[in-house]
Amino acid sequence: MSRFFSSMDSCPAIKNILILDSEGKRVAVKYYSDEWPTNSSRLAFEKSLFTKSLKSNARNEAEISMFDSNIVIYKFVQDLHFFVTGGDEENELILASMLQGLYDAVALLLRGTVDKREALENLDLILLCIDEIVDQGMILETDANVLAGKVAIQNMDVSAPLSEQTISQALASAREHLTRTLLK
């Protein structure tokens, strides 16, 4: 008897993405699992995970840890702590690749200044980035350049003067203007 796999069985599933500050407070979080159904259970998970992770030195490389029967990959940058949680059967390398893609995309979007102040000022970009990297727990993309490009396009203000736009935004704006003039 053969077993048929659903697409969820063969795709790595993310349970949550957390970006916390140096005190363990939320900067940006997204949960994809019902394992933590209430806000208080989520806050308790975040607090205990943060407390456990403080004992490590995840500044240069991402660390892999088992926590409450989950695989947690985490990395500290400046005063931000990035966490990705998956089930205990998930591939650590894929989760680590996803975390690195998220961090690299955030670094691109924040122009290399990855700290709490800059993250809070650009929270909309970070949340868009999280939405582009994972949908309903399934990893969609891990390439930082692709992620940052998708977020930049979604966040583009076509009414802004060309001098205040990035090159990709200016090209997209010019393309849109050319399309409108050709269709008239």
Side-chain angles (χ1 to χ4, degrees):
M1 177 188 236
S2 65
R3 175 167 178 200
F4 293 98
F5 292 97
S6 71
S7 61
M8 290 299 286
D9 288 339
S10 59
C11 291
I14 302 298
K15 292 187 176 185
N16 62 46
I17 296 174
L18 310 171
I19 302 175
L20 306 176
D21 68 10
S22 59
E23 298 171 355
K25 305 275 189 266
R26 290 179 169 186
V27 174
V29 299
K30 184 82 177 208
Y31 282 83
Y32 305 99
S33 169
D34 294 332
E35 193 169 324
W36 305 275
T38 64
N39 193 44
S40 59
S41 65
R42 291 174 178 183
L43 288 170
F45 173 78
E46 293 163 19
K47 182 179 180 180
S48 58
L49 178 62
F50 178 79
T51 302
K52 180 181 179 186
S53 68
L54 284 177
K55 297 173 185 155
S56 75
N57 186 15
R59 296 237 174 248
N60 297 329
E61 298 282 327
E63 294 282 329
I64 301 170
S65 178
M66 286 297 290
F67 184 77
D68 288 348
S69 300
N70 292 301
I71 295 174
V72 179
I73 313 288
Y74 54 96
K75 179 176 184 156
F76 306 154
V77 180
Q78 303 283 24
D79 56 353
L80 292 177
H81 298 225
F82 291 76
F83 297 89
V84 172
T85 306
D88 60 353
E89 71 287 344
E90 299 300 341
N91 185 323
E92 297 90 356
L93 295 176
I94 293 175
L95 297 178
S97 173
M98 197 233 91
L99 176 68
Q100 190 63 46
L102 172 65
Y103 167 73
D104 290 343
V106 167
L108 284 170
L109 292 167
L110 300 182
R111 294 179 176 86
T113 308
V114 182
D115 62 20
K116 180 181 176 182
R117 185 186 59 77
E118 198 69 28
L120 290 173
E121 287 178 5
N122 295 285
L123 189 57
D124 57 333
L125 296 177
I126 292 174
L127 293 173
L128 280 171
C129 188
I130 290 172
D131 286 343
E132 287 294 331
I133 201 166
V134 175
D135 185 30
Q136 297 179 357
M138 289 184 9
I139 299 172
L140 301 175
E141 182 65 63
T142 59
D143 185 308
N145 293 316
V146 172
L147 289 165
K150 286 181 179 182
V151 170
I153 288 171
Q154 288 182 13
N155 196 48
M156 184 172 49
D157 181 9
V158 291
S159 63
L162 286 177
S163 62
E164 295 178 10
Q165 295 181 7
T166 64
I167 292 174
S168 62
Q169 289 173 330
L171 288 172
S173 179
R175 188 176 334 124
E176 182 180 320
H177 180 69
L178 179 63
T179 304
R180 267 190 274 137
T181 56
L182 291 175
L183 292 176
K184 285 184 180 179

